[in-house]
Structures are given as structure tokens and as C-alpha cells.
Amino acid sequence: FLSSDICSSADDRLATSIVLKWEEIIEKERAGNVTEIPTHCAMITEVANDLADTRQELRIIMANQRKNERLYMILTTVFGTLTAGLIALLATILVRRALQTEPTDRRDGTINQSK
């Protein structure tokens, strides 16, 4: 029994299904030692599962990044507006104080009398 006898042909591998008959598996006369041929199917399945998990994690990370970018834009706009409002308020306070302050004599702090 040669390994080529148990391999699918190219046409069989491209088909969506292969029909096996019991006699092909059980009733065939066999002799000799059994040698397991590694197919690496388990490793390929594990890699495929890891890839699917990694894709899902990447989708979550990208979704979070988009949320963070939107939040950053909102916070930037809010803080910019608050900063502009505070500057306007500070300017108004400084102008009012400047208009309310009367000149004083520097030596004794008394108000100068205008002539």
C-alpha cells in the first residue's frame, strides 16, 4: 500500500465532497507496518483559528480607535470653546477694572484731583 494510494487526486481535492465506499476503507487487503504520515492539518487548523482570533481582536481595536478619535475631536472642540469663552470673560473683567480705577498719588495712595 503506497502513500500515493491514499492521496486524493487533484480533481478530488478541488471537489466539494468525495464519496468513499466502505469496501475502499475496510475490505481492502492490507499487509506490512502502519506508518503515520503527518498531514499538518491540526497545525493548519490552529493557525487558522489564531488568525480568526487576531482578526477579531484587530476589529475591536480599530473600533475603539475610531471611538477614541471621535472623543478626541469632541473634547478638542469643547476645550477650544471653553478657552475662547474664558479669554473673553477675562478680557471683559480687565477692561471693566481699568475703567473703574481712578488715578492715585503714588506716594500716599490718595486720589489725584484733576484740575
Side-chain angles (χ1 to χ4, degrees), residues 47-115:
V47 169
N49 289 338
D50 288 347
L51 179 60
D53 292 345
T54 303
R55 277 187 182 163
Q56 185 60 29
E57 290 172 11
L58 182 58
R59 285 185 184 123
I60 292 169
I61 289 169
M62 291 177 69
N64 287 337
Q65 183 178 357
R66 283 191 295 272
K67 287 178 188 175
N68 289 341
E69 287 173 356
R70 279 185 248 136
L71 180 61
Y72 174 78
M73 292 303 295
I74 290 169
L75 290 176
T76 301
T77 304
V78 167
F79 284 120
T81 304
L82 289 174
T83 301
L86 287 174
I87 290 172
L89 182 61
L90 182 60
T92 303
I93 291 170
L94 291 175
V95 168
R96 283 191 179 173
R97 280 192 182 169
L99 293 175
Q100 291 174 356
T101 304
E102 296 184 31
T104 58
D105 185 53
R106 292 184 183 171
R107 285 174 272 159
D108 62 5
T110 58
I111 296 176
N112 288 335
Q113 299 296 324
S114 44
K115 297 180 180 180

